[in-house]
Amino acid sequence: MENAVYDAIVSANQLLEKQNIIANNLANISTTGFKEKFHYILEKNSTENKQDAYNTIIKEYYNVSPGILNYTQRNLDLFVEKDGWFVVKDINGEEAYTKNGHLKINSNGKLTIQNNEVIGNHCDINIPNNAQLRISSDGVISSIFKKKNNSVENKIGELKLVKIPINSLIQKENGFFYLNKKYDNFHHKNRLIPHDNNVRIKSGMLELSNVNAAQNMIEMISNARQFETQMKIISISDKNAEYANQLININN
């Protein structure tokens, strides 16, 4: 009976965790560049020991398919192809990676994504006042000034673009991705990921979230029903234990 209760508790905890992930997916259905997240049970230990029931190993993984493209015609809206990522500096000064290419210029003339400074390829990117920008497919940023009937184009920087498989990344609460420790230690030993000249971007479009709303809603309903079942198992087990104790007291 005790094993049944512990199994039900473990299952209920796992279902709650799945519900949190699904709720986060649905909350980010309109977040640019957001990648749908799931998790699965990698290993479940024996429940012969009560405490072993909580040693379930859960792995997270991401839906790697691209989201629908939104053609904005805005020159600072960028889409990075395939395994390519934009690089920003988070509030702790650490490199972080994102598919969100909605760039803005802050009051200091810096390019930002979600208020985090965009990192350049071996350069600081400073945007001149009143400059019209053009960003080429390889990430080179040029300023265009019109002088009478002519246009003068000057290179002012280059975006740092990296190529990383999404399964080598973990997402933190700030919404950005970071290298997981195993990938970082094996491939780079805590060094920064270098710029990749083969990564290509497209201007005037944004990659939307790839969350499948219908699928997530179905899974949320299914998880809720399974959770209710586990709660019933716990309740029935408690009642059976109570009845058993009453019988023992009567017999005594």
Side-chain angles (χ1 to χ4, degrees):
M1 185 177 297
E2 289 184 352
N3 284 343
V5 172
Y6 278 102
D7 282 343
I9 292 173
V10 170
S11 296
N13 286 333
Q14 292 171 0
L15 289 167
L16 284 176
E17 180 62 25
K18 288 179 67 176
Q19 289 295 68
N20 288 334
I21 291 175
I22 292 172
N24 186 60
N25 286 341
L26 292 172
N28 285 279
I29 199 168
S30 60
T31 300
T32 302
F34 182 83
K35 293 300 179 184
E36 191 174 36
K37 183 166 68 173
F38 303 98
H39 75 192
Y40 64 94
I41 300 173
L42 182 65
E43 180 181 343
K44 186 173 182 179
N45 295 328
S46 170
T47 57
E48 292 179 3
N49 185 330
K50 297 177 183 179
Q51 294 181 348
D52 285 344
Y54 293 96
N55 291 332
T56 300
I57 298 174
I58 297 176
K59 289 288 185 178
E60 294 182 351
Y61 68 100
Y62 299 91
N63 177 2
V64 298
S65 64
I68 297 172
L69 293 181
N70 177 26
Y71 294 86
T72 65
Q73 304 303 319
R74 179 176 175 267
N75 63 340
L76 290 182
D77 284 342
L78 307 175
F79 162 65
V80 60
E81 299 180 347
K82 299 178 181 178
D83 287 338
W85 296 84
F86 299 107
V87 187
V88 300
K89 183 187 299 182
D90 68 13
I91 59 174
N92 298 315
E94 187 177 355
E95 280 199 359
Y97 310 101
T98 181
K99 286 285 188 179
N100 184 348
H102 185 58
L103 276 63
K104 294 182 178 180
I105 305 172
N106 67 14
S107 58
N108 297 319
K110 298 291 187 180
L111 284 178
T112 64
I113 295 175
Q114 294 175 261
N115 297 319
N116 291 269
E117 183 179 340
V118 175
I119 294 178
N121 179 25
H122 299 295
C123 65
D124 289 327
I125 303 173
N126 296 296
I127 308 301
N129 292 329
N130 302 319
Q132 181 181 351
L133 300 183
R134 186 177 74 85
I135 303 178
S136 59
S137 61
D138 57 359
V140 172
I141 306 169
S142 301
S143 62
I144 303 173
F145 291 95
K146 292 185 178 181
K147 292 186 177 180
K148 295 182 179 180
N149 296 327
N150 297 322
S151 295
V152 179
E153 184 171 333
N154 296 315
K155 178 181 176 179
I156 59 175
E158 182 179 0
L159 297 174
K160 180 176 181 179
L161 303 170
V162 298
K163 182 176 289 187
I164 314 171
I166 193 171
N167 291 328
S168 300
L169 298 166
I170 57 173
Q171 190 177 36
K172 295 187 178 180
E173 292 182 359
N174 60 8
F176 292 117
F177 285 84
Y178 296 80
L179 287 175
N180 64 39
K181 292 182 179 179
K182 289 184 179 179
Y183 182 90
D184 192 18
N185 292 335
F186 182 78
H187 292 275
H188 300 279
K189 298 180 180 179
N190 294 321
R191 291 178 296 175
L192 300 178
I193 299 292
H195 173 82
D196 193 313
N197 292 320
N198 295 317
V199 176
R200 289 293 178 265
I201 59 176
K202 294 180 180 179
S203 179
M205 62 188 74
L206 291 172
E207 179 183 356
L208 302 181
S209 167
N210 68 351
V211 174
N212 185 323
Q215 178 182 345
N216 278 268
M217 287 298 297
I218 291 172
E219 290 191 9
M220 178 173 280
I221 294 171
S222 175
N223 288 339
R225 290 174 176 170
Q226 293 179 56
F227 182 83
E228 184 179 351
T229 299
Q230 300 305 321
M231 292 298 99
K232 287 181 179 178
I233 291 174
I234 294 173
S235 177
I236 291 172
S237 297
D238 286 342
K239 289 181 180 179
N240 288 341
E242 184 179 346
Y243 294 151
N245 289 331
Q246 289 176 357
L247 289 174
I248 291 173
N249 291 332
I250 292 173
N251 291 332
N252 290 337

